[in-house]
Structures are given as C-alpha cells and as structure tokens.
C-alpha cells in the first residue's frame, strides 16, 4: 500500500509535467494513465530510476514486464552509466546489447554470490544480493584479457567482499561485460582451443551457458594481481552473451600497500554508480 501511494503521487506529478511540456493530447494508442509508456518514463525520471521500484513494476503484469524489457531497463542503464553504455552499444541510439538490457541492469547492481565449482571450493554458497555501490572499469578489464585479446573492450567491477564461513579469509565476487562478445578475440580464442561449455554452471545474469576461463587456461596472472588475490585463488566464467562472473580469495593488504601494474592509469570511462 505504501509503494502504491507513493507511486500515485509520483504519477500525478509526472502527468502535470507532461501536460506542461506536451500541450496537445497524447496520440491515441489505447493506453491511458500509468500504462502509457511515456508516463512511465517520466515517473522513473522523477525518482532517478530507482531499480527496486522498477523491479517491482516489472512483476505487476505481462504488459508492464514487456514495457520494462523494451524501454525501461535500457533507460535505467543509460541514466546510471551513460559513458559505459555508449561504449558498449557503439554509441548507436538504437543499438542492442547481447543478453538484453534487463540482464545488463542486473549485472550493474547485483552481486551474484558464489558457489563451489570444480576449481573453487567453498564450505557453503554465498547468496546473491543488491550492492550499495558499483564501480566498473575498462582499465581493470584489460587485466583479465590475454595479451593477444587486449583489443577487446571489457568492463570489470571491483570485487564484492564476502566473509568466508568457517575461516578468516574473504571471498571476492566480481562481474563484468564485453562489448560485442560474438566478434571478440576472446571468443575466437575459446573457439580455437575448442573449449567446452560448462554443464553445471549458468550465467547468473542472463541464464546463458558459460565457458570456464580457468579450464581454457585464459586467465592472465595480471587478473589476480589486479583483484588482490593469491595465485591459483581465482576463477571466472564468460557466458555466450559476454557476461563475466567470478570469485577469488582476497589477500589482506596493509594500508601502505599499493596495486601496481601496466595499466594503472586513470580511466575516464570508469563507471561509479550507487543503488541509493
């Protein structure tokens, strides 16, 4: 009831704004009130594209779900990370994203958690959750690319820290996304090596099948260094739509330790986002 009341007030404000900017009547399309797509866009603009509200609205009905998939998820991504989205879509206004905009929105603000795999053992799985803040960097992404694949564009997040049950170590969970993965050199390397898709692991963002970069021996040592992880304590997967997710054991660092590497330059295309 509280959400419904808040949403009604926001809708009334959006309608007043719409009448001010659009003195003529909306084209007749059989839609009215909150079900009109432009009204929905104005509503979410007024609440800064709150992802929790969008998730709730997308589950109200099939119509709302369809509008969210066609318009709202993309507008959320563009509002929260315009430079990163422009880079991923090639700057094309009508450009598409592999796996869908809803999957990209989830990847931007949801940590998928971690579970045991054949290369990575956990005493028990760590659950997924919304993150309070996100930072994605194409500078960090280059550390995850083999030398002959560094022409690819990959954004990778800072690791989300989880306390490991039954031990003093901390688990880092990270995620990322490729631009045009189907045309990437990374995918070409996987195909040339005849890497097999995993049977039991699925992408937590689009549900697609994944390759283990560890099994394919395509994990650069620079990736562990960038994350602050020990050698052999890192594993990550890439799905057929170019979504990356992985886990690592984090090494405790003293306050005077700094991360070094060949790509430690400032990057204006980094994305910093808050869920609040």
């Amino acid at each position: 009831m509280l959400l419904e009341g808040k949403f009604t007030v926001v809708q009334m404000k959006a309608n007043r704004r719409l009448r001010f900017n659009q003195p003529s009547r909306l084209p007749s399309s059989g839609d009215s009130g909150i079900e009109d797509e432009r009204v929905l866009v104005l509503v979410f603009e007024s609440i800064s594209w709150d992802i929790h509200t969008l998730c709730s609205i997308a589950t109200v009905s099939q119509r709302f779900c369809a509008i969210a998939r066609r318009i709202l998820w993309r507008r959320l991504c563009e509002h929260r990370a315009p430079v990163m989205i422009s880079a991923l879509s090639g700057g094309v206004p009508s450009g598409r994203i592999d796996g869908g905009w809803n999957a990209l929105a989830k990847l931007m603000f949801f940590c998928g958690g971690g579970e045991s795999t054949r290369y990575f053992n956990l005493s028990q799985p760590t659950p997924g959750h919304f993150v309070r803040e996100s930072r994605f960097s194409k500078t960090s992404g280059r550390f995850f690319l083999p030398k002959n694949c560094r022409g690819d564009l990959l954004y990778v997040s800072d690791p989300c820290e989880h306390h490991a049950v039954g031990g003093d170590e901390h688990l880092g969970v990270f995620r990322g996304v490729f631009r045009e993965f189907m045309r990437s050199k990374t995918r070409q390397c996987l195909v040339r090596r005849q890497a097999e898709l995993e049977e039991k692991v699925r992408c937590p963002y689009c549900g697609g099948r994944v390759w283990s970069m560890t099994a394919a021996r395509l994990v650069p040592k620079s990736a562990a260094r960038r994350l602050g992880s020990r050698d052999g304590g890192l594993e990550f997967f890439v799905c057929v739509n170019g979504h990356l997710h992985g886990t690592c054991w984090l090494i405790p660092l003293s306050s005077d330790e700094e991360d070094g590497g060949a790509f430690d330059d400032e990057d204006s295309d980094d994305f910093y986002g808050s869920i609040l």
Side-chain angles (χ1 to χ4, degrees):
M1 292 298 293
L2 180 60
L3 176 60
E4 181 180 355
K6 178 181 177 182
F7 205 76
T8 301
V9 172
V10 174
Q11 178 190 353
M12 292 171 62
K13 292 180 179 179
N15 283 334
R16 286 199 296 270
R17 177 183 170 188
L18 183 62
R19 285 196 297 270
F20 179 80
N21 293 329
Q22 304 278 348
S24 60
R25 295 185 62 185
L26 289 170
S28 177
S29 61
D31 301 330
S32 62
I34 196 62
E35 290 190 354
D36 186 276
E37 296 170 0
R38 285 191 286 177
V39 172
L40 275 173
V41 169
L42 290 175
V43 168
F44 279 102
E45 285 179 350
S46 70
I47 58 176
S48 299
W49 294 95
D50 179 72
I51 191 170
H52 294 291
T53 304
L54 182 45
C55 288
S56 298
I57 288 297
T59 62
V60 168
S61 67
Q62 290 184 351
R63 172 161 177 74
F64 280 128
C65 181
I67 294 174
R69 283 183 175 272
R70 189 170 67 253
I71 298 174
L72 301 182
W73 289 119
R74 174 171 184 149
R75 295 292 293 270
L76 164 69
C77 295
E78 291 174 337
H79 175 81
R80 293 298 186 91
V83 176
M84 186 175 92
I85 297 307
S86 178
L88 292 175
S89 62
V92 180
S94 59
R96 301 183 63 183
I97 292 290
D98 292 339
W101 290 98
N102 57 323
L104 180 59
K106 182 179 180 181
L107 184 143
M108 285 169 57
F109 293 105
F110 188 81
C111 167
E115 58 184 23
S116 295
T117 65
R118 57 180 170 174
Y119 291 102
F120 205 92
N121 295 317
L122 295 174
S123 58
Q124 67 182 58
T126 58
H129 62 96
F130 279 107
V131 293
R132 293 181 62 85
E133 293 182 341
S134 293
R135 175 184 179 271
F136 285 80
S137 169
K138 70 177 185 181
T139 301
S140 295
R142 289 199 287 269
F143 282 84
F144 289 77
L145 298 171
K147 289 184 179 180
N148 59 337
C149 298
R150 285 181 179 157
D152 293 345
L153 177 60
L154 169 65
Y155 281 86
V156 172
S157 75
D158 287 342
C160 177
E161 294 190 24
H162 296 251
H163 182 69
V165 177
D168 296 328
E169 293 183 293
H170 282 77
L171 180 71
V173 182
F174 55 95
R175 57 207 193 277
V177 57
F178 279 84
R179 179 180 65 185
E180 296 184 337
F181 181 68
M182 288 294 293
R183 301 180 183 179
S184 68
K185 293 182 179 179
T186 300
R187 184 181 182 279
Q188 292 176 13
C189 285
L190 289 165
V191 172
R192 278 200 307 268
R193 295 189 177 203
Q194 298 181 334
E196 296 183 358
L197 292 164
E198 294 291 304
E199 291 293 334
K200 297 182 180 180
V201 183
R202 292 279 179 165
C203 175
Y205 301 104
C206 69
R209 299 191 67 183
V210 303
W211 285 282
S212 167
M213 300 296 281
T214 307
R217 297 183 180 180
L218 288 174
V219 178
K221 291 183 178 180
S222 56
R225 184 173 69 249
R226 182 67 172 183
L227 292 171
S229 176
R230 65 170 183 260
D231 290 340
L234 165 69
E235 181 180 21
F236 65 92
F237 303 87
V238 176
C239 82
V240 293
N241 290 313
H243 302 136
L244 178 152
H245 74 281
T247 48
C248 64
W249 293 116
L250 299 173
I251 299 174
L253 299 177
S254 62
S255 58
D256 58 349
E257 285 180 297
E258 296 181 358
D259 180 29
F263 300 113
D264 272 343
D265 55 296
E266 291 296 324
D267 193 330
S268 61
D269 279 2
D270 285 6
F271 158 55
Y272 300 83
S274 172
I275 198 169
L276 301 177

